[in-house]
Amino acid sequence: MKSSLHEFLAPDSIAILGASSDPTKRGYKAMVGLINDGYEGAIYPINPKVDTILGYKAYPSMESLPGPAALVLICTPAKTIPDLLGQCGRNGTKGAIILASGFGEVDEAGAKLGQEVLEAAQKANVRIVGPNTSGVFNLHKKVNLLALDNVKPGDIGIISQSGNMLLALALEAESNGHVGFSTYVGPGNQIDLGFADYLQYLGEDDNTRVATLYVEGFKDGRVFLNVAKEIAKTKPVVVYKSGSTEAGQKAAKSHTGALAGSYVMTVDLLRQVGVTVVSQSDEILPVAEGLSLLQQANGNRVAILADGGGQATIASDRLCEAGLELAELSDATQSALRGILFPQASLVNPVDVAGSTDANPGLLVDCMTVLVEDANVDMVLLVGMFGGYGIRFAEELKAEELRTADAIAKLSGQTDKPLVVYSLYSHVRPEPLVRLRESGVPVYNSIEHAVQVLKALNERGAYIASNQRAELAQPLSPDAGVVATFEQAQRSGRDLFEFEAKSLLRTYGVDVPKELMVRNEAEFLEAVAEFGHTSLAMKVVSKDILHKSDAGGVKLNLSGEADLRRGHAEILAACKLYKADAEIEGILLAPMARKGTEVIIGVSRDPVFGPVLMFGLGGIFVEVLEDVAFRAIPLSRDDAHAMVNQIKARKILDGVRGEPAVSKDALVELLLKVSSIVDAHAEILELDLNPVIAYHDGYAVVDARVIVCQETPL
Amino acid sequence: MKSSLHEFLAPDSIAILGASSDPTKRGYKAMVGLINDGYEGAIYPINPKVDTILGYKAYPSMESLPGPAALVLICTPAKTIPDLLGQCGRNGTKGAIILASGFGEVDEAGAKLGQEVLEAAQKANVRIVGPNTSGVFNLHKKVNLLALDNVKPGDIGIISQSGNMLLALALEAESNGHVGFSTYVGPGNQIDLGFADYLQYLGEDDNTRVATLYVEGFKDGRVFLNVAKEIAKTKPVVVYKSGSTEAGQKAAKSHTGALAGSYVMTVDLLRQVGVTVVSQSDEILPVAEGLSLLQQANGNRVAILADGGGQATIASDRLCEAGLELAELSDATQSALRGILFPQASLVNPVDVAGSTDANPGLLVDCMTVLVEDANVDMVLLVGMFGGYGIRFAEELKAEELRTADAIAKLSGQTDKPLVVYSLYSHVRPEPLVRLRESGVPVYNSIEHAVQVLKALNERGAYIASNQRAELAQPLSPDAGVVATFEQAQRSGRDLFEFEAKSLLRTYGVDVPKELMVRNEAEFLEAVAEFGHTSLAMKVVSKDILHKSDAGGVKLNLSGEADLRRGHAEILAACKLYKADAEIEGILLAPMARKGTEVIIGVSRDPVFGPVLMFGLGGIFVEVLEDVAFRAIPLSRDDAHAMVNQIKARKILDGVRGEPAVSKDALVELLLKVSSIVDAHAEILELDLNPVIAYHDGYAVVDARVIVCQETPL
């Protein structure tokens, strides 16, 4: 079943509350937009002071309409809106677009008014777009409430928290002449409907092939992730998320009052659900366009076909920077190319035709055909002068270029390998390039943009393949003992002790080295007997001492009874000095961990995105270099693998300076296990395994901390 | 005195060797180019088979010309060229452009032919552009030997190792309508003239305001750096260097056969001499254009004035990513803005006019005037719809926008603070934006490009300021003892022993902890007496043992006679086992270094750029993260400071996890000292201080290695 938004985002009738005959007013422009574009449904201007507007009969109120308006555009000031929504409800309107600002984005009083609007809307059974929205269009329905000129209907849907961003994309589309749009929504303050709802709508909309979002902040991050995950299975979702720096976050807040969240985390979570994240604003339209035409690639190996060395070199650099590979061309391919091109052509990827095509551009498609047939090639990038041979070399070549364009388009239709073109002449929009683009082969005027498209095609292919084998971390049934431990902690309003946290982990099968809790002389002697002369670490256990090392509550490398007895006494003395009234639960004894690679696993509950897992290497890698990976819980096995391989310091996991590689498989199992545990226990507010020592044959959790959610009823 | 290149790159007469009446031939097209553009000098087609070409009298040979041709364009095949150069010499030609390929870029035989061409040219006293060059133009002289259509004369000079890159830039300039060019040179194989010569020419050329280079590889890197350093003092030099990845380096080699060198190092060295390095090919023209109009900024604090929140947010993110800052606006500024704009405008940078200008774009220049007057502001970026108010809102606004453009241009002329504009409407090229650009205010269609321009303006300002206080590392007079040490090492064909290297460093004032060389029992007892119970490190000294640790030749934390004696014996035994015939010079004893932060300083002599110093943090930072900074020797004090602050791990030098900050000043002194030492001693082929331990109050050089240049005559 389709979402209810279709009723009013593809509306059969539209009322304009605050319609006006004043050409500077939005209530006039919106009507002009509808009329000029030939909107086929009923248009109802609402204005009690006049009889007609632009030749349409004006009504004094929503109640006086001859029938229900599927959608109402409200152009009146903020304070009028709660009352007007009552009228809308009585009319039977399904959705209202509220343009007015002056709500939560301004001050507390505005936020309160926003709450009143929401309550009135709920009472009236009307859904709200906005307030403080730039508006909506649905070009396939000829609904253009923004009165934007020169926008073509097409297959790119836009949801943008900035109206000017839409305008920028529309002007860019106008200038390249290719791209058209389906539906646009400005979510504004999202007091009712938000990004998730609009994305759901675009996902279901047959006229939209790619959903493209400009986001300053999500309000409903977890719901958005769930929707995006479903949509991305079949339709590309492109997101530009602003706020990559603190300055940008502050700027975004002053703009729409949205909660910006951590940029790096948000990007990781979006990618996890198959969203294509673009990081430069001038890449939004090129990437959306590429994905609307080509959808996906089944690998990252690119063949470059070039008629100029400079561009071939630049494209090679950009490809590799983007994590793509230059395909290694097979002998058969090279030999076939040798048969087509001049002897001086370079047949190793990037293929440089070295003048072979100057008088004969048709050879380009012959080469592309050979490249597409190579099993080592996943995508083909044509870079250079194609489209401009007739301009640069000889007028007569124009006809051959047109034939070549048709042949390239035909080849593109016959293969599932993406063909992408960068041409120096695309600024000029010569006929062969227009022909190519109209046949579904994207053409770019920047090598950088073309490569970003290839990258997006590859990421999307990888996501779809990974999604097909998606295997989420296994759900766990909560263990009764663990539940009891949480109950006990919650009753005393404390977090878990380290030994409790570790015991929890052990219960669910996490490798935590054996430790003994020493609370009295008998337990002390048992521990001495148990560990013999093993080298041990000794740590204080007290709910009153959080930073054990600072308190002198940790001693390392102790062995034998005398050592241990002295260490025990010293720790107690130091902790007493540190905090005289600290309640000491006991002392934890554990074998010193073998040397290995320190990693950190942390879980927190993000106010926007819910439970999120973080992975990184220990020490400076997290604290100084901020080299970490995030995923929303629950993780799939592919997510866990991707996290481990995403961090810049992954080379260290692979073994450097003579150290063996650590077992990434063991880390993956641990990540999945932690995901399952947190999923099963809402009592866990935060969890920190720091450090975990990773080895070539496994890992050891050396320290564990669990912050207990004190509000969760059990 | 100007370089001799002016004689033939701004030639008063041109001969075309291999001129032709066949319109597909280069010898025809070049003539057409000259004729169509109205070249005012003499044109001499050389072709023994015809009488006239395109109405010009043809000559059978260079010798038969009525006078010397300042420049000759040689269009004939490779093998004909040595002989033809003889003719050119006898004619008195100053320079020859050789288009033919088939030289060093192809194979050994070609390289040999190139050598013959060079010798013939030297004998004939003719300088060579190329071979394998795309050609040359000088639009102010109406010399367009590439027969490029639609290129405007202007102030950007281009040197490009790829002819298609020039073509791409020319087409981009044609599409934006603004940019014009002065001189273009394709250096080709650079068998005679190279990048340094052409840059020198552009530096002296009054028609060129910005020199812009596309470089695959330098042949004469050190000479280039010296020239660039001089030019950059007064004229911006913009370089795109390809080969940022291995794939790109390989592609570049197959293209022109140039030595690509390490990209990261090359970029550091170029920036050291004031070159603006752009890393994306689609930024070349925007950055060159911006620098041609605005030259420099005196700080990195940018005020953003926006009429749309989305673009303000994106610009803020990009600015901060580029190392620029959002200026903190003074109270006076905010109060003045309050007087101009609607109450809901955001007056904290980025300034968002929030609709204030929709009906009144003239307010934008009022705001810009206020911003320019703020002492906290170094540059102003206008982002949004300017130029499109008349299109988007009301036709009548067009006139006010034009007046506003004039006022902005006037403001730009009155301030030394750069004003840069990003407009969503720049694709459409409306009149106000054309007016702005023509008055010297750059206008961009990408926020990303606009920010790159601001970044370049800031870097250039910083370079000029730094250059004014440039203080190079002090020259040293070589110490006689050190010279003797080198002589001794060279006589035995060995490198310096560690103790010799350290002694060298001490001689020149580097802090190397006291060490004692123990060659016999007497020295052993002296050392025992000297060091008492200090904890010591002990290392074998032998020219036959390079990897001391592997050989068991290193022991740490020894103290007292017994310990030392045992350690000594064990080292000798281990080394004997490792290499029975190793000649053991003795054992080095040194106090264990205090704990601190490990850094590495290395010097090597790069085949292209000469002596280069590298700095980085020890261990994984160099080996895994490749987080290092390079500078050519000799360093200035600013260079040394910049190196220390450039690495990503600089936060560690500033102190993390409770560690104190290390003394960067001490490291700067050490870098300068190393620079001076290497400068004074050509005997040093490589030098490695690894590790140097940096402290809050200084540093200690713990290990030093000097590889001796065995070929340098003393």
Side-chain angles (χ1 to χ4, degrees):
Chain A
M1 209 193 73
K2 279 195 176 183
S3 97
S4 67
L5 275 66
H6 291 267
E7 295 176 317
F8 55 92
L9 290 182
D12 290 325
S13 52
I14 302 176
I16 295 169
L17 246 165
S20 166
S21 303
D22 175 350
T24 70
K25 291 286 165 67
R26 189 66 182 271
Y28 174 91
K29 289 182 186 167
M31 288 208 41
V32 169
L34 289 172
I35 297 163
N36 286 354
D37 288 3
Y39 174 60
E40 288 155 8
I43 304 177
Y44 303 125
I46 314 283
N47 187 329
K49 296 182 194 149
V50 295
D51 292 335
T52 62
I53 294 177
L54 286 158
Y56 282 74
K57 173 174 166 50
Y59 297 86
S61 70
M62 291 293 290
E63 284 121 326
S64 56
L65 294 183
L71 173 69
V72 57
L73 176 72
I74 305 182
C75 308
T76 59
K79 60 180 188 324
T80 66
I81 291 169
D83 276 357
L84 293 175
L85 284 170
Q87 288 187 23
C88 295
R90 289 187 289 278
N91 166 263
T93 301
K94 300 297 178 188
I97 300 171
I98 304 178
L99 298 176
S101 56
F103 294 92
E105 82 284 5
V106 176
D107 54 16
E108 272 305 306
K112 209 169 143 255
L113 184 56
Q115 190 55 36
E116 282 171 41
V117 167
L118 179 59
E119 282 160 15
Q122 284 169 341
K123 209 169 136 197
N125 205 20
V126 176
R127 302 305 303 265
I128 302 288
V129 179
N132 190 24
T133 169
S134 48
V136 163
F137 69 53
N138 178 342
L139 302 182
H140 293 274
K141 266 285 198 180
K142 300 177 185 167
V143 173
N144 181 349
L145 296 174
L146 299 164
L148 266 189
D149 296 328
N150 301 323
V151 283
K152 283 205 310 199
D155 49 22
I156 294 182
I158 309 268
I159 313 169
S160 170
Q161 226 161 350
S162 154
N164 272 14
M165 271 310 293
L166 167 73
L167 187 56
L169 296 174
L171 286 161
E172 199 182 326
E174 183 185 341
S175 111
N176 78 27
H178 299 313
V179 180
F181 301 97
S182 53
T183 288
Y184 164 74
V185 182
N189 291 6
Q190 306 180 63
I191 61 167
D192 176 17
L193 297 169
F195 277 109
D197 303 293
Y198 303 125
L199 179 59
Q200 180 78 45
Y201 166 82
L202 291 182
E204 292 163 355
D205 177 32
D206 293 335
N207 293 314
T208 298
R209 278 174 68 88
V210 175
T212 305
L213 284 66
Y214 169 80
V215 181
E216 300 198 334
F218 293 102
K219 287 201 161 172
D220 51 0
R222 174 60 62 143
V223 179
F224 181 84
L225 293 180
N226 291 339
V227 171
K229 187 170 181 170
E230 274 312 301
I231 305 294
K233 285 178 188 166
T234 53
K235 201 176 266 194
V237 179
V238 176
V239 171
Y240 177 95
K241 170 71 178 67
S242 70
S244 65
T245 67
E246 239 176 87
Q249 277 177 35
K250 268 163 68 180
K253 275 185 196 165
S254 70
H255 181 221
T256 56
L259 186 66
S262 140
Y263 179 77
V264 174
M265 183 189 81
T266 305
V267 168
D268 272 357
L269 303 190
L270 290 172
R271 292 209 167 115
Q272 182 183 4
V273 296
V275 167
T276 300
V277 179
V278 296
S279 60
Q280 307 287 303
S281 66
D282 58 7
E283 291 168 359
I284 299 174
L285 202 70
V287 168
E289 182 190 359
L291 289 175
S292 79
L293 296 171
L294 293 168
Q295 303 273 342
Q296 81 208 56
N298 295 318
N300 73 343
R301 300 164 305 170
V302 180
I304 298 176
L305 177 64
D307 55 17
Q311 278 85 11
T313 304
I314 294 168
S316 302
D317 278 334
R318 286 303 95 72
L319 280 176
C320 294
E321 288 165 7
L324 303 172
E325 280 178 34
L326 282 181
E328 226 174 275
L329 303 181
S330 72
D331 291 345
T333 298
Q334 296 196 34
S335 137
L337 292 172
R338 196 170 295 119
I340 300 170
L341 301 172
F342 288 170
Q344 68 265 33
S346 169
L347 305 181
V348 179
N349 197 6
V351 175
D352 185 346
V353 302
S356 314
T357 56
D358 286 5
N360 198 358
L363 297 181
L364 290 171
V365 73
D366 299 342
C367 293
M368 288 174 88
T369 305
V370 168
L371 292 170
V372 160
E373 279 165 9
D374 190 325
N376 295 338
V377 171
D378 300 309
M379 298 182 261
V380 177
L381 175 63
L382 175 65
V383 303
M385 300 173 44
F386 184 71
Y389 281 72
I391 300 169
R392 177 78 183 128
F393 295 122
E395 187 75 21
E396 310 84 75
L397 293 176
K398 285 186 177 170
E400 192 184 341
E401 278 193 293
L402 274 181
R403 281 192 299 274
T404 307
D406 289 338
I408 293 174
K410 191 172 164 208
L411 177 63
S412 176
Q414 287 165 344
T415 174
D416 59 352
K417 298 182 180 180
L419 312 183
V420 172
V421 175
Y422 157 76
S423 169
L424 342 183
Y425 283 88
S426 72
H427 294 288
V428 192
R429 291 170 63 190
E431 188 57 24
L433 297 183
V434 172
R435 186 82 63 96
L436 267 187
R437 176 54 178 71
E438 280 170 359
S439 323
V441 179
V443 178
Y444 296 100
N445 60 21
S446 148
I447 296 175
E448 278 75 14
H449 292 174
V451 169
Q452 286 304 314
V453 172
L454 297 174
K455 181 186 176 194
L457 290 165
N458 172 50
E459 280 180 2
R460 186 143 174 81
Y463 175 74
I464 288 170
S466 147
N467 198 54
Q468 280 161 356
R469 58 173 187 266
E471 177 201 339
L472 287 183
Q474 293 229 304
L476 288 176
S477 319
D479 173 87
V482 171
V483 170
T485 304
F486 276 116
E487 282 171 351
Q488 205 180 346
Q490 282 168 328
R491 268 196 300 274
S492 18
R494 64 165 172 84
D495 299 318
L496 295 196
F497 290 121
E498 184 182 340
F499 75 93
E500 290 173 328
K502 286 181 167 171
S503 157
L504 176 160
L505 294 167
R506 274 191 213 99
T507 301
Y508 292 118
V510 173
D511 283 348
V512 184
K514 178 173 189 134
E515 294 180 337
L516 289 175
M517 178 70 177
V518 171
R519 271 164 285 225
N520 50 45
E521 177 67 15
E523 285 183 347
F524 178 80
L525 291 174
E526 265 171 52
V528 168
E530 170 79 29
F531 286 125
H533 271 78
T534 315
S535 185
L536 298 175
M538 188 179 259
K539 296 191 254 186
V540 69
V541 176
S542 163
K543 70 173 168 46
D544 301 322
I545 298 177
L546 267 179
H547 301 287
K548 297 187 272 262
S549 293
D550 294 356
V554 178
K555 297 219 164 258
L556 304 176
N557 295 310
L558 307 178
S559 66
E561 182 172 344
D563 241 21
L564 291 172
R565 205 173 279 284
R566 190 170 54 242
H568 193 165
E570 283 173 9
I571 282 183
L572 293 182
C575 288
K576 185 140 203 172
L577 222 68
Y578 180 76
K579 195 163 188 214
D581 60 348
E583 209 175 290
I584 309 281
E585 197 77 9
I587 297 280
L588 206 60
L589 278 178
M592 292 296 293
R594 282 185 284 155
K595 225 176 127 259
T597 304
E598 282 193 18
V599 303
I600 294 179
I601 294 171
V603 173
S604 58
R605 293 188 187 265
D606 185 84
V608 175
F609 290 106
V612 171
L613 195 152
M614 185 200 85
F615 170 80
L617 258 67
I620 50 148
F621 289 97
V622 168
E623 291 172 30
V624 181
L625 304 176
E626 298 172 6
D627 178 20
V628 292
F630 295 93
R631 291 295 182 279
I633 287 174
L635 272 66
S636 74
R637 186 165 291 275
D638 279 352
D639 289 334
H641 274 290
M643 287 185 96
V644 171
N645 290 310
Q646 172 185 328
I647 56 171
K648 292 188 204 78
R650 62 185 168 274
K651 284 192 208 164
I652 292 173
L653 298 178
D654 294 331
V656 290
R657 313 179 98 193
E659 301 289 331
V662 309
S663 166
K664 288 185 177 172
D665 288 341
L667 289 178
V668 164
E669 293 305 328
L670 175 58
L671 290 168
L672 288 172
K673 188 65 86 174
V674 169
S675 170
S676 300
I677 292 171
V678 173
D679 215 22
H681 284 288
E683 305 97 323
I684 300 175
L685 188 65
E686 287 177 35
L687 179 151
D688 251 310
L689 311 187
N690 180 12
V692 175
I693 317 275
Y695 303 116
H696 72 280
D697 57 352
Y699 64 86
V701 175
V702 171
D703 202 351
R705 213 165 58 102
V706 171
I707 307 292
V708 174
C709 182
Q710 299 297 346
E711 285 136 39
T712 312
L714 283 171
Chain B
M1 210 194 72
K2 281 194 173 183
S3 97
S4 67
L5 275 65
H6 291 267
E7 295 177 318
F8 55 91
L9 290 183
D12 290 325
S13 51
I14 302 174
I16 294 168
L17 246 166
S20 165
S21 305
D22 175 350
T24 69
K25 290 284 163 72
R26 188 66 180 270
Y28 175 91
K29 289 181 185 168
M31 288 207 43
V32 169
L34 290 172
I35 297 163
N36 287 354
D37 288 3
Y39 175 61
E40 287 154 9
I43 303 176
Y44 301 126
I46 314 284
N47 185 330
K49 297 183 194 148
V50 296
D51 293 334
T52 63
I53 293 177
L54 285 157
Y56 284 73
K57 175 175 165 50
Y59 296 86
S61 70
M62 292 293 290
E63 285 121 326
S64 58
L65 294 183
L71 174 69
V72 57
L73 175 73
I74 306 183
C75 308
T76 58
K79 59 182 190 324
T80 65
I81 291 169
D83 276 356
L84 292 175
L85 284 170
Q87 289 187 20
C88 295
R90 289 187 288 279
N91 166 265
T93 300
K94 299 297 178 187
I97 300 170
I98 303 179
L99 299 177
S101 56
F103 294 92
E105 83 284 5
V106 176
D107 55 16
E108 271 307 305
K112 205 167 148 261
L113 183 57
Q115 190 54 36
E116 281 171 41
V117 167
L118 178 60
E119 282 160 17
Q122 284 167 341
K123 208 168 139 199
N125 203 21
V126 175
R127 302 305 301 264
I128 302 288
V129 179
N132 189 25
T133 169
S134 48
V136 162
F137 68 54
N138 178 342
L139 301 183
H140 294 275
K141 268 285 198 181
K142 300 176 184 167
V143 174
N144 180 349
L145 296 174
L146 300 165
L148 266 189
D149 296 327
N150 302 323
V151 282
K152 283 206 312 201
D155 49 22
I156 294 181
I158 309 267
I159 314 169
S160 169
Q161 226 161 349
S162 153
N164 271 15
M165 271 310 293
L166 167 73
L167 187 57
L169 296 174
L171 287 162
E172 199 181 326
E174 184 186 341
S175 110
N176 78 28
H178 300 313
V179 180
F181 301 96
S182 53
T183 288
Y184 165 74
V185 182
N189 291 7
Q190 307 180 65
I191 62 167
D192 176 17
L193 297 169
F195 277 109
D197 304 291
Y198 302 124
L199 179 59
Q200 180 78 45
Y201 166 82
L202 291 182
E204 293 162 355
D205 176 31
D206 294 334
N207 293 315
T208 299
R209 281 173 65 86
V210 175
T212 305
L213 284 67
Y214 169 80
V215 181
E216 300 199 334
F218 293 102
K219 285 202 164 172
D220 51 1
R222 175 58 63 144
V223 179
F224 181 84
L225 292 180
N226 292 338
V227 171
K229 188 172 182 168
E230 274 313 300
I231 305 295
K233 285 178 188 167
T234 54
K235 201 175 268 193
V237 179
V238 176
V239 171
Y240 177 96
K241 170 71 177 68
S242 70
S244 64
T245 66
E246 236 176 272
Q249 278 178 35
K250 268 163 68 182
K253 275 185 196 163
S254 70
H255 181 221
T256 58
L259 188 62
S262 141
Y263 179 77
V264 174
M265 184 188 80
T266 306
V267 167
D268 273 357
L269 302 189
L270 291 172
R271 293 210 167 112
Q272 183 183 6
V273 296
V275 168
T276 301
V277 179
V278 296
S279 60
Q280 307 288 304
S281 66
D282 58 7
E283 291 167 0
I284 299 173
L285 201 71
V287 168
E289 181 191 0
L291 289 175
S292 80
L293 296 172
L294 294 168
Q295 300 275 338
Q296 80 208 58
N298 295 318
N300 74 342
R301 300 164 306 168
V302 181
I304 298 177
L305 177 63
D307 55 16
Q311 279 85 10
T313 303
I314 295 168
S316 302
D317 278 334
R318 287 302 96 71
L319 281 175
C320 295
E321 287 165 5
L324 303 171
E325 280 178 35
L326 280 181
E328 227 174 273
L329 304 182
S330 74
D331 291 344
T333 298
Q334 295 196 34
S335 137
L337 292 173
R338 198 170 292 121
I340 299 170
L341 300 172
F342 289 169
Q344 67 266 32
S346 169
L347 305 181
V348 180
N349 198 4
V351 176
D352 185 344
V353 301
S356 315
T357 56
D358 285 6
N360 198 358
L363 298 181
L364 290 171
V365 73
D366 300 343
C367 294
M368 289 174 89
T369 306
V370 169
L371 292 170
V372 159
E373 279 165 10
D374 190 325
N376 295 338
V377 171
D378 301 309
M379 298 182 262
V380 177
L381 175 63
L382 175 65
V383 303
M385 298 172 47
F386 185 70
Y389 282 74
I391 300 168
R392 176 79 182 127
F393 297 122
E395 185 76 20
E396 310 84 74
L397 294 176
K398 285 186 178 170
E400 192 185 340
E401 279 195 293
L402 273 180
R403 283 192 298 275
T404 306
D406 289 338
I408 293 174
K410 193 172 163 207
L411 178 64
S412 177
Q414 287 165 344
T415 174
D416 60 351
K417 298 181 181 181
L419 311 183
V420 172
V421 176
Y422 157 75
S423 171
L424 341 185
Y425 283 87
S426 72
H427 293 289
V428 191
R429 291 171 62 190
E431 188 57 21
L433 297 183
V434 173
R435 187 81 64 94
L436 268 187
R437 176 54 179 72
E438 279 169 0
S439 322
V441 178
V443 178
Y444 296 100
N445 62 19
S446 147
I447 297 176
E448 279 74 15
H449 292 174
V451 168
Q452 287 303 314
V453 171
L454 297 174
K455 181 186 176 193
L457 290 164
N458 171 52
E459 279 181 3
R460 186 143 174 81
Y463 176 74
I464 288 169
S466 146
N467 199 53
Q468 279 161 356
R469 57 174 189 268
E471 178 201 337
L472 285 183
Q474 294 228 303
L476 289 175
S477 320
D479 173 87
V482 172
V483 171
T485 303
F486 277 116
E487 283 172 351
Q488 205 179 346
Q490 283 169 327
R491 268 197 299 275
S492 12
R494 65 167 171 86
D495 299 318
L496 295 197
F497 291 122
E498 183 182 342
F499 74 94
E500 291 173 327
K502 286 181 167 172
S503 158
L504 175 159
L505 293 167
R506 275 191 213 97
T507 301
Y508 292 117
V510 173
D511 283 348
V512 184
K514 180 174 186 133
E515 294 180 337
L516 289 175
M517 178 71 180
V518 172
R519 269 163 286 224
N520 50 46
E521 178 66 13
E523 286 182 346
F524 178 80
L525 291 174
E526 264 171 53
V528 167
E530 171 78 29
F531 286 124
H533 272 78
T534 314
S535 184
L536 298 174
M538 188 179 258
K539 296 191 252 186
V540 70
V541 177
S542 163
K543 68 170 170 51
D544 301 322
I545 298 177
L546 267 180
H547 301 288
K548 297 186 272 259
S549 294
D550 294 355
V554 179
K555 296 217 165 259
L556 304 175
N557 296 309
L558 307 178
S559 66
E561 181 172 343
D563 243 21
L564 291 172
R565 206 173 280 283
R566 191 172 51 243
H568 193 163
E570 283 173 9
I571 283 183
L572 293 182
C575 290
K576 186 140 199 169
L577 223 68
Y578 180 77
K579 194 163 190 216
D581 60 347
E583 209 174 288
I584 311 283
E585 197 76 8
I587 297 281
L588 205 60
L589 277 178
M592 290 297 292
R594 280 186 284 154
K595 224 178 129 254
T597 303
E598 283 193 19
V599 304
I600 295 180
I601 294 172
V603 173
S604 58
R605 293 188 187 266
D606 185 85
V608 175
F609 290 105
V612 171
L613 195 151
M614 184 201 85
F615 170 79
L617 258 68
I620 51 146
F621 289 97
V622 168
E623 291 174 30
V624 180
L625 304 175
E626 297 172 7
D627 178 20
V628 292
F630 295 94
R631 292 295 183 279
I633 287 173
L635 271 66
S636 74
R637 187 165 290 275
D638 280 352
D639 289 336
H641 274 289
M643 288 184 94
V644 171
N645 290 311
Q646 173 186 328
I647 56 171
K648 292 188 204 79
R650 63 185 167 276
K651 286 191 205 165
I652 293 172
L653 298 177
D654 293 331
V656 289
R657 314 180 100 194
E659 301 288 331
V662 310
S663 166
K664 287 185 179 173
D665 288 342
L667 289 178
V668 164
E669 293 306 328
L670 175 58
L671 291 168
L672 288 171
K673 189 64 85 176
V674 170
S675 170
S676 301
I677 292 170
V678 174
D679 216 22
H681 283 289
E683 306 96 324
I684 299 175
L685 188 66
E686 287 176 36
L687 180 151
D688 252 308
L689 310 188
N690 179 11
V692 176
I693 316 276
Y695 304 114
H696 72 281
D697 57 352
Y699 64 84
V701 176
V702 171
D703 202 350
R705 214 166 57 105
V706 171
I707 307 293
V708 175
C709 181
Q710 300 297 345
E711 284 135 39
T712 312
L714 284 171

